Amino acid sequence: MMLHDQELRALALAVIQVEAQSVAALAERIDAHFAAACRLMFACPGRVVVTGMGKSGHIAGKIAATLASTGTPAFFVHPGEASHGDLGMITKQDVVLALSNSGETEEVLTILPIIKRLGVPLIAMTGNPASTLGTLATVHIDVGVAQEACPLGLAPTSSTTAALAMGDALAVSLLEARGFTRDDFALSHPGGSLGKRLLLRVSDIMHTGGEMPAVRETALISEALLEMTEKKLGMTAIVDADNKVAGIFTDGDLRRMLGKNLDIHKTRIDAVMTAHCTTIGIDTMAAEAMQIMEQKRINALIVTDAERRAVGALNMHDLIRAGIV
């Protein structure tokens, strides 16, 4: 029989509270052992090899991925596969981080003699410091919990959450110690939206050469309109004889001009353009271009070099197509 909504919410809240308490209790274990583990991983000339079985294995895989994406080379090795050939992936230059809540996981213990023979530092993360894994480790980090959130006390819940949080604590501590930056993070995530926001520059997506709309300040309005129509960016740059930006003429300027009864075949574009317009440098991040457009409520920007010469143009659609959202 399905429980009522109130009962479901009460059960869910109980789980959150138990797991939150388990994570909060870890603060007392951020001690000399934790610092020693950080120092071993920081000084590692090879990679951090993370291993674990079952639910601990899933957490170990996530910790390895987090380490690798935050400046600490790492990968996951399944302990069952390790005893059938994958141990060859571990070298004397590496550090092993092994996860086991009980500290007695058979598949993990099976590979310990080889790890010891290689002389590889072993960091253990268990819920039992007196366990076999805990006592044989170079450094042991206690991630034990008072209780699982599972009412049967069987399914790993609080224990896996605590291990995951401790793994994040290691990764972020190492990130700070290495001076890892947002640009470094982007380099390891080039295909993601964050990578695009951090790596993509205006110069990568702007329209240049024959695709860039631009007319001299002496041009007639009709000539500027033809340029806008041909280049299809909803704007044109207005430049002087040295190709320096004198202003911009946009679709909005055109709408405002319509009520002035001007002869577009006789009136110069500099009479109706927006002078002192906002421009952007060629090496500026594309994400900053998006921010400028949103703040100033404009849809296009002229790209300039250090001498304020027009070298390109881009609009909001270019940024959206590039994934800068």
Side-chain angles (χ1 to χ4, degrees):
M1 180 177 177
M2 187 60 185
L3 300 175
H4 295 298
D5 287 359
Q6 186 174 357
E7 294 173 301
L8 291 171
R9 289 196 297 269
L11 288 169
L13 284 172
V15 171
I16 298 299
Q17 289 169 354
V18 170
E19 296 205 7
Q21 291 167 1
S22 298
V23 172
L26 294 178
E28 299 177 357
R29 289 84 167 281
I30 304 300
D31 52 17
H33 297 285
F34 177 87
C38 288
R39 293 187 185 282
L40 281 175
M41 297 165 75
F42 183 85
C44 175
R47 295 161 297 176
V48 176
V49 183
V50 194
T51 189
M53 193 72 186
K55 302 298 189 298
S56 291
H58 294 303
I59 299 302
K62 195 277 180 183
I63 291 173
T66 300
L67 287 168
S69 67
T70 53
T72 299
F75 65 93
F76 171 76
V77 168
H78 191 287
E81 299 296 331
S83 60
H84 292 280
D86 282 1
L87 266 177
M89 300 169 68
I90 304 175
T91 74
K92 294 181 179 181
Q93 306 298 313
D94 299 332
V95 169
V96 173
L97 172 61
L99 277 68
S100 169
N101 186 44
S102 67
E104 302 293 345
T105 304
E106 181 180 353
E107 292 85 353
V108 175
L109 297 183
T110 297
I111 64 175
L112 290 189
I114 304 301
I115 293 172
K116 289 294 184 178
R117 186 177 303 172
L118 286 171
V120 174
L122 172 63
I123 301 169
M125 194 183 293
T126 82
N128 182 8
S131 64
T132 302
L133 182 58
T135 55
L136 290 177
T138 310
V139 176
H140 177 263
I141 299 176
D142 183 5
V143 290
V145 298
Q147 68 177 108
E148 297 286 4
C150 167
L152 301 177
L154 299 175
T157 45
S158 299
S159 58
T160 50
T161 300
L164 182 61
M166 187 64 79
D168 286 343
L170 287 169
V172 173
S173 297
L174 289 168
L175 176 154
E176 290 287 346
R178 296 182 191 281
F180 196 77
T181 67
R182 290 172 62 89
D183 287 345
D184 294 326
F185 189 88
L187 288 172
S188 62
H189 298 75
S193 59
L194 179 58
K196 289 180 180 179
R197 290 185 64 86
L198 293 176
L199 290 175
L200 203 64
R201 298 181 182 274
V202 166
S203 56
D204 296 321
I205 58 176
M206 69 182 187
H207 299 266
T208 62
E211 295 182 357
M212 174 190 165
V215 297
R216 289 281 301 279
E217 57 190 341
T218 56
L220 299 175
I221 295 175
S222 57
E223 294 173 321
L225 293 177
L226 288 173
E227 181 75 354
M228 290 172 62
T229 301
E230 180 182 346
K231 303 300 171 60
K232 300 177 181 179
L233 290 184
M235 54 78 75
T236 183
I238 315 300
V239 298
D240 62 17
D242 297 320
N243 204 43
K244 293 185 178 181
V245 176
I248 190 171
F249 187 76
T250 67
D251 288 339
D253 293 316
L254 174 60
R255 288 191 294 272
R256 287 186 288 272
M257 183 198 75
L258 292 177
K260 297 180 180 180
N261 296 319
L262 297 174
D263 187 338
I264 64 172
H265 298 293
K266 294 182 179 180
T267 307
R268 284 173 37 155
I269 191 65
D270 58 359
V272 292
M273 70 181 185
T274 298
H276 310 296
C277 60
T278 300
T279 61
I280 193 165
I282 190 170
D283 291 324
T284 306
M285 293 296 181
E288 186 176 339
M290 175 67 84
Q291 184 179 29
I292 291 172
M293 288 186 190
E294 291 176 342
Q295 288 178 345
K296 294 185 175 292
R297 298 184 179 180
I298 56 178
N299 293 315
L301 286 166
I302 302 170
V303 184
T304 61
D305 62 14
E307 303 299 324
R308 198 174 165 76
R309 288 187 292 263
V311 294
L314 76 162
N315 62 15
M316 184 73 75
H317 296 297
D318 296 320
L319 295 169
I320 293 173
R321 280 193 295 268
I324 307 300
V325 293

